[in-house]
Amino acid sequence: MIVVRLVVVAALLIGVFTALGTLIASGPAAVRDADLDVVRWFAAHRTGWLLRATAAGTYLSDTWTVIAATALLAAAAGWWTRRWLLPAAAVLLTAGETAIYELTGLLVDRPRPPVPRLDVGDPAAGYPSGHVAAAVCLYGGVAVFARWAAARRRAAAGVPPARGVVDVVAAAAAAAAVLAPLVVAFCRVYRGMHHPTDVLAGALIGACWLAAVARVLLRPALAAVDDRRPRPAPPPKATAMS
Protein backbone atom coordinates (compact mmCIF):
# COMPACT_ATOMS: atom_id res chain seq x y z
CA MET A 1 0.00 0.00 0.00
CA ILE A 2 2.82 2.39 0.90
CA VAL A 3 4.61 1.68 -2.37
CA VAL A 4 1.43 2.24 -4.39
CA ARG A 5 0.78 5.58 -2.69
CA LEU A 6 4.29 6.82 -3.35
CA VAL A 7 4.20 5.65 -6.97
CA VAL A 8 0.95 7.56 -7.45
CA VAL A 9 2.51 10.68 -5.91
CA ALA A 10 5.57 10.34 -8.14
CA ALA A 11 3.39 9.96 -11.23
CA LEU A 12 1.36 13.04 -10.27
CA LEU A 13 4.52 15.07 -9.73
CA ILE A 14 5.91 14.01 -13.10
CA GLY A 15 2.65 14.96 -14.79
CA VAL A 16 2.28 18.32 -13.05
CA PHE A 17 5.87 19.44 -13.54
CA THR A 18 6.02 18.17 -17.10
CA ALA A 19 2.99 20.33 -17.89
CA LEU A 20 4.54 23.28 -16.05
CA GLY A 21 7.85 22.85 -17.86
CA THR A 22 6.15 22.61 -21.24
CA LEU A 23 4.24 25.79 -20.47
CA ILE A 24 7.44 27.60 -19.51
CA ALA A 25 9.37 26.33 -22.53
CA SER A 26 6.71 27.10 -25.12
CA GLY A 27 4.31 29.45 -23.38
CA PRO A 28 4.44 33.21 -22.73
CA ALA A 29 7.59 34.77 -24.17
CA ALA A 30 7.68 37.25 -21.29
CA VAL A 31 8.48 34.44 -18.84
CA ARG A 32 11.31 33.11 -21.00
CA ASP A 33 12.69 36.60 -21.55
CA ALA A 34 12.68 37.37 -17.82
CA ASP A 35 14.38 34.02 -17.15
CA LEU A 36 17.06 34.73 -19.70
CA ASP A 37 17.60 38.30 -18.52
CA VAL A 38 18.51 37.06 -15.04
CA VAL A 39 20.99 34.47 -16.34
CA ARG A 40 22.59 36.94 -18.75
CA TRP A 41 22.95 39.52 -15.98
CA PHE A 42 24.79 37.06 -13.78
CA ALA A 43 26.97 35.91 -16.69
CA ALA A 44 27.96 39.52 -17.38
CA HIS A 45 28.81 40.27 -13.74
CA ARG A 46 30.84 37.21 -12.73
CA THR A 47 33.70 37.83 -10.32
CA GLY A 48 36.63 35.69 -9.27
CA TRP A 49 35.64 35.05 -5.67
CA LEU A 50 32.04 34.22 -6.56
CA LEU A 51 33.23 31.85 -9.25
CA ARG A 52 35.20 29.96 -6.63
CA ALA A 53 32.42 30.15 -4.04
CA THR A 54 29.72 28.91 -6.40
CA ALA A 55 31.95 26.08 -7.60
CA ALA A 56 32.23 24.96 -3.98
CA GLY A 57 28.54 25.57 -3.27
CA THR A 58 27.48 23.30 -6.12
CA TYR A 59 29.13 20.38 -4.34
CA LEU A 60 26.53 20.63 -1.58
CA SER A 61 24.26 18.51 -3.80
CA ASP A 62 26.66 17.05 -6.32
CA THR A 63 25.84 13.48 -7.35
CA TRP A 64 28.59 11.91 -5.26
CA THR A 65 27.83 14.15 -2.30
CA VAL A 66 24.19 13.05 -2.36
CA ILE A 67 25.12 9.37 -2.68
CA ALA A 68 27.63 9.52 0.18
CA ALA A 69 25.35 11.58 2.44
CA THR A 70 22.37 9.31 1.77
CA ALA A 71 24.47 6.25 2.64
CA LEU A 72 25.59 7.89 5.90
CA LEU A 73 22.03 8.93 6.75
CA ALA A 74 20.73 5.43 6.07
CA ALA A 75 23.51 3.88 8.16
CA ALA A 76 22.86 6.30 11.04
CA ALA A 77 19.11 5.62 10.90
CA GLY A 78 19.71 1.87 10.92
CA TRP A 79 22.14 2.07 13.84
CA TRP A 80 19.85 4.35 15.87
CA THR A 81 16.62 2.43 15.34
CA ARG A 82 17.89 -1.12 14.66
CA ARG A 83 15.24 -1.42 11.95
CA TRP A 84 15.40 -1.45 8.15
CA LEU A 85 12.41 0.78 7.34
CA LEU A 86 14.04 4.11 8.16
CA PRO A 87 17.23 3.43 6.17
CA ALA A 88 14.99 2.45 3.25
CA ALA A 89 13.10 5.72 3.62
CA ALA A 90 16.37 7.66 3.53
CA VAL A 91 17.37 5.96 0.28
CA LEU A 92 13.90 6.43 -1.17
CA LEU A 93 14.04 10.18 -0.52
CA THR A 94 16.92 10.79 -2.91
CA ALA A 95 16.34 7.86 -5.26
CA GLY A 96 12.69 8.82 -5.80
CA GLU A 97 13.59 12.46 -6.35
CA THR A 98 16.18 11.41 -8.93
CA ALA A 99 13.66 9.29 -10.82
CA ILE A 100 11.09 12.11 -10.87
CA TYR A 101 13.70 14.61 -12.04
CA GLU A 102 15.05 12.33 -14.77
CA LEU A 103 11.65 11.44 -16.20
CA THR A 104 10.43 15.03 -16.08
CA GLY A 105 13.58 16.20 -17.83
CA LEU A 106 13.12 13.60 -20.58
CA LEU A 107 9.57 14.81 -21.22
CA VAL A 108 10.35 18.54 -21.27
CA ASP A 109 12.45 19.89 -24.11
CA ARG A 110 14.26 22.84 -22.60
CA PRO A 111 17.99 23.42 -23.15
CA ARG A 112 20.29 25.07 -20.67
CA PRO A 113 20.70 28.87 -20.87
CA PRO A 114 22.57 30.22 -23.92
CA VAL A 115 25.43 31.72 -21.85
CA PRO A 116 28.93 30.41 -21.05
CA ARG A 117 28.34 27.47 -18.72
CA LEU A 118 30.89 26.82 -16.01
CA ASP A 119 30.03 23.23 -15.12
CA VAL A 120 29.79 20.00 -17.07
CA GLY A 121 26.28 18.85 -17.94
CA ASP A 122 24.02 17.72 -20.74
CA PRO A 123 23.26 20.90 -22.77
CA ALA A 124 19.68 19.72 -23.26
CA ALA A 125 18.98 19.08 -19.56
CA GLY A 126 17.84 22.55 -18.57
CA TYR A 127 14.61 21.71 -16.75
CA PRO A 128 14.22 21.07 -13.85
CA SER A 129 17.25 21.48 -11.60
CA GLY A 130 18.17 18.11 -10.17
CA HIS A 131 20.79 19.68 -7.90
CA VAL A 132 18.19 21.83 -6.16
CA ALA A 133 15.64 19.02 -5.87
CA ALA A 134 18.31 16.77 -4.37
CA ALA A 135 19.36 19.47 -1.90
CA VAL A 136 15.78 19.87 -0.65
CA CYS A 137 15.30 16.13 -0.17
CA LEU A 138 18.73 15.41 1.30
CA TYR A 139 18.97 18.23 3.81
CA GLY A 140 15.26 18.16 4.52
CA GLY A 141 15.51 14.44 5.28
CA VAL A 142 18.45 15.04 7.62
CA ALA A 143 16.40 17.72 9.40
CA VAL A 144 13.45 15.35 9.85
CA PHE A 145 15.67 12.63 11.36
CA ALA A 146 17.53 15.08 13.60
CA ARG A 147 14.33 16.67 14.88
CA TRP A 148 12.92 13.23 15.69
CA ALA A 149 16.12 12.23 17.50
CA ALA A 150 15.97 15.40 19.60
CA ALA A 151 12.30 14.82 20.44
CA ARG A 152 13.02 11.21 21.36
CA ARG A 153 15.82 12.31 23.67
CA ARG A 154 13.48 14.72 25.45
CA ALA A 155 10.78 12.05 25.77
CA ALA A 156 13.26 9.53 27.17
CA ALA A 157 14.44 12.01 29.78
CA GLY A 158 10.91 12.47 31.12
CA VAL A 159 11.72 16.07 32.05
CA PRO A 160 13.02 18.90 29.86
CA PRO A 161 16.77 18.11 29.65
CA ALA A 162 19.59 20.60 29.20
CA ARG A 163 20.33 21.47 25.59
CA GLY A 164 22.64 18.75 24.27
CA VAL A 165 24.52 17.75 21.14
CA VAL A 166 21.41 16.21 19.56
CA ASP A 167 19.49 19.46 19.94
CA VAL A 168 22.33 21.46 18.42
CA VAL A 169 22.53 19.04 15.49
CA ALA A 170 18.75 19.29 14.99
CA ALA A 171 18.91 23.10 14.91
CA ALA A 172 21.84 23.03 12.47
CA ALA A 173 20.04 20.52 10.26
CA ALA A 174 16.91 22.68 10.17
CA ALA A 175 19.00 25.68 9.12
CA ALA A 176 20.77 23.61 6.45
CA ALA A 177 17.42 22.39 5.11
CA VAL A 178 16.56 26.01 4.30
CA LEU A 179 19.95 27.45 3.37
CA ALA A 180 21.49 24.62 1.34
CA PRO A 181 18.82 24.60 -1.42
CA LEU A 182 19.00 28.41 -1.65
CA VAL A 183 22.78 28.31 -2.00
CA VAL A 184 22.64 25.56 -4.61
CA ALA A 185 19.90 27.38 -6.56
CA PHE A 186 21.98 30.57 -6.68
CA CYS A 187 25.09 28.64 -7.73
CA ARG A 188 23.32 26.86 -10.59
CA VAL A 189 21.88 30.09 -12.00
CA TYR A 190 25.09 32.06 -11.47
CA ARG A 191 27.15 29.43 -13.26
CA GLY A 192 24.80 29.39 -16.25
CA MET A 193 23.48 25.88 -15.74
CA HIS A 194 19.80 26.73 -15.19
CA HIS A 195 17.20 29.45 -15.56
CA PRO A 196 15.50 30.73 -12.37
CA THR A 197 12.30 28.82 -13.22
CA ASP A 198 14.35 25.62 -13.54
CA VAL A 199 15.66 25.89 -9.99
CA LEU A 200 12.23 26.89 -8.72
CA ALA A 201 10.72 23.78 -10.29
CA GLY A 202 13.49 21.67 -8.77
CA ALA A 203 12.82 23.12 -5.33
CA LEU A 204 9.09 22.41 -5.62
CA ILE A 205 9.69 18.85 -6.81
CA GLY A 206 12.04 18.22 -3.89
CA ALA A 207 9.66 19.77 -1.36
CA CYS A 208 6.64 17.81 -2.63
CA TRP A 209 8.52 14.52 -2.65
CA LEU A 210 9.98 15.14 0.80
CA ALA A 211 6.51 15.92 2.16
CA ALA A 212 5.05 12.79 0.55
CA VAL A 213 7.75 10.44 1.85
CA ALA A 214 7.61 12.04 5.29
CA ARG A 215 3.84 11.64 5.52
CA VAL A 216 3.49 8.19 3.96
CA LEU A 217 6.61 6.48 5.24
CA LEU A 218 8.80 8.47 7.61
CA ARG A 219 6.24 9.54 10.21
CA PRO A 220 4.62 6.09 10.58
CA ALA A 221 8.06 4.48 10.76
CA LEU A 222 9.27 6.90 13.42
CA ALA A 223 6.06 6.42 15.39
CA ALA A 224 6.56 2.65 15.24
CA VAL A 225 10.08 3.05 16.65
CA ASP A 226 8.73 5.20 19.49
CA ASP A 227 6.04 2.62 20.26
CA ARG A 228 8.74 -0.01 20.74
CA ARG A 229 10.68 2.16 23.18
CA PRO A 230 10.44 0.88 26.77
CA ARG A 231 8.17 3.06 28.83
CA PRO A 232 9.29 4.25 32.26
CA ALA A 233 7.59 2.40 35.10
CA PRO A 234 4.79 4.40 36.75
CA PRO A 235 5.53 5.68 40.26
CA PRO A 236 4.20 3.49 43.06
CA LYS A 237 0.82 4.44 44.40
CA ALA A 238 0.71 5.90 47.89
CA THR A 239 -0.94 3.59 50.40
CA ALA A 240 -3.57 4.97 52.76
CA MET A 241 -2.64 5.21 56.42
CA SER A 242 -4.67 2.89 58.64
Side-chain angles (χ1 to χ4, degrees), residues 115-161:
V115 297
R117 294 186 292 274
L118 304 181
D119 294 322
V120 177
D122 182 356
Y127 174 94
S129 172
H131 277 73
V132 176
V136 172
C137 284
L138 174 61
Y139 296 99
V142 171
V144 170
F145 278 104
R147 182 179 178 184
W148 167 77
R152 195 166 188 245
R153 172 180 174 270
R154 289 192 294 270
V159 295

Side-chain angles (χ1 to χ4, degrees), residues 66 70 73 90 92-98 131-144 177 181 202-203 205-211 213:
V66 172
T70 299
L73 180 59
L92 185 62
L93 265 177
T94 53
E97 167 273 318
T98 300
H131 277 73
V132 176
V136 172
C137 284
L138 174 61
Y139 296 99
V142 171
V144 170
I205 288 174
C208 291
W209 183 244
L210 173 62
V213 174

